[in-house]
């Protein structure tokens, strides 16, 4: 076994990525304070060909050196839009036909393994601030709340890890449906 070189990975060029069919998902970042987390979300969005990212509130916007450190150029490939207020982003998403789903620990949340996404729907996954999570007023406007099961002593995952877990779950479940 040998590790593949970059040129053996058959990656898309940015122009080809931009014109390719995207995964019908939008990541919404609700007041994310770490620019490294923002950059990591861009990189994950690129890896899974996510439709776009909505940056809300205090969430930093590209171009920025600290975002670029972890994004590694994916701010050039992934579409993004900024909203001053996450509630405005939610209203916009609902208006254009997206199911808005917060990723949060809540009393009526659905455990991620029980979420079976439909290939007929488009989803916006809302990820909250590293300390405070998804804002309460945003949570109440969402169609549903998903919770990533955890079994250790800590009460949360890093937001960039949560994005990767949710993206992987979505991709694997929609691929199974398409293959059936």
């Amino acid at each position: 076994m040998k590790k593949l070189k970059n040129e053996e990975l058959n990656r898309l060029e940015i122009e080809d990525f931009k014109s390719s069919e995207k995964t019908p998902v939008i990541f919404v970042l609700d007041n994310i304070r770490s620019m490294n987390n923002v950059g990591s979300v861009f990189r994950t969005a690129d890896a899974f060909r996510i439709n776009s990212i909505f940056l809300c509130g205090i969430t930093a916007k590209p171009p920025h050196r600290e975002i670029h450190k972890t994004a590694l150029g994916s701010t050039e490939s992934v579409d993004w839009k900024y909203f001053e207020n996450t509630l405005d982003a939610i209203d916009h998403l609902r208006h254009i036909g997206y199911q808005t789903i917060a990723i949060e620990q809540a009393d009526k949340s659905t455990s991620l393994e029980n979420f079976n996404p439909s290939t007929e729907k488009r989803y916006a996954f809302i990820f909250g601030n590293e300390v405070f999570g998804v804002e309460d007023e945003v949570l109440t406007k969402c169609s549903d709340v998903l919770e990533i099961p955890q079994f250790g002593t800590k009460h949360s995952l890093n937001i960039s890890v949560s994005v990767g877990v949710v993206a992987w779950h979505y991709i694997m479940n929609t691929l199974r449906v398409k293959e059936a």
Side-chain angles (χ1 to χ4, degrees):
M1 183 176 303
K2 73 172 181 90
K3 188 167 86 171
L4 294 174
K5 296 177 181 165
N6 283 345
E7 55 273 7
E8 295 175 293
L9 295 175
N10 298 318
R11 298 292 189 214
L12 295 174
E13 296 295 327
I14 289 176
E15 298 78 29
D16 296 327
F17 180 95
K18 289 225 173 246
S19 64
S20 68
E21 184 178 346
K22 303 293 185 301
T23 303
V25 165
I26 293 176
F27 293 150
V28 179
L29 305 187
D30 178 25
N31 292 299
I32 303 303
R33 63 186 182 156
S34 165
M35 288 184 247
N36 289 324
N37 282 336
V38 174
S40 292
V41 172
F42 268 94
R43 197 159 152 196
T44 299
D46 179 276
F48 291 107
R49 258 193 244 177
I50 299 301
N51 187 49
S52 62
I53 300 172
F54 285 7
L55 308 169
C56 304
I58 66 166
T59 306
K61 306 176 292 282
H64 195 285
R65 186 176 60 84
E66 289 300 310
I67 293 172
H68 183 71
K69 269 199 307 198
T70 49
L72 296 178
S74 57
T75 57
E76 303 302 316
S77 57
V78 177
D79 288 336
W80 61 273
K81 187 173 189 172
Y82 175 75
F83 289 83
E84 278 189 38
N85 185 308
T86 308
L87 293 173
D88 294 338
I90 300 291
D91 288 341
H92 174 71
L93 287 160
R94 292 174 89 169
H95 178 73
I96 61 173
Y98 277 79
Q99 300 291 309
T100 54
I101 301 178
I103 310 304
E104 187 59 85
Q105 298 164 338
D107 62 346
K108 295 181 181 168
S109 63
T110 300
S111 192
L112 182 62
E113 76 271 11
N114 296 322
F115 172 60
N116 296 307
S118 167
T119 56
E120 305 299 313
K121 294 181 180 178
R122 298 182 304 169
Y123 296 96
F125 297 111
I126 297 89
F127 299 89
N129 176 278
E130 295 90 340
V131 175
F132 304 110
V134 176
E135 292 182 39
D136 288 338
E137 54 199 6
V138 170
L139 203 60
T140 60
K141 285 194 105 173
C142 289
S143 312
D144 202 356
V145 178
L146 294 178
E147 185 171 340
I148 300 170
Q150 298 169 52
F151 309 102
T153 62
K154 300 303 170 201
H155 300 290
S156 66
L157 294 168
N158 179 281
I159 185 251
S160 64
V161 172
S162 295
V163 168
V165 168
V166 170
W168 180 254
H169 178 84
Y170 175 87
I171 294 293
M172 289 298 98
N173 279 276
T174 55
L175 283 176
R176 281 190 200 111
V177 170
K178 287 178 183 178
E179 291 172 358

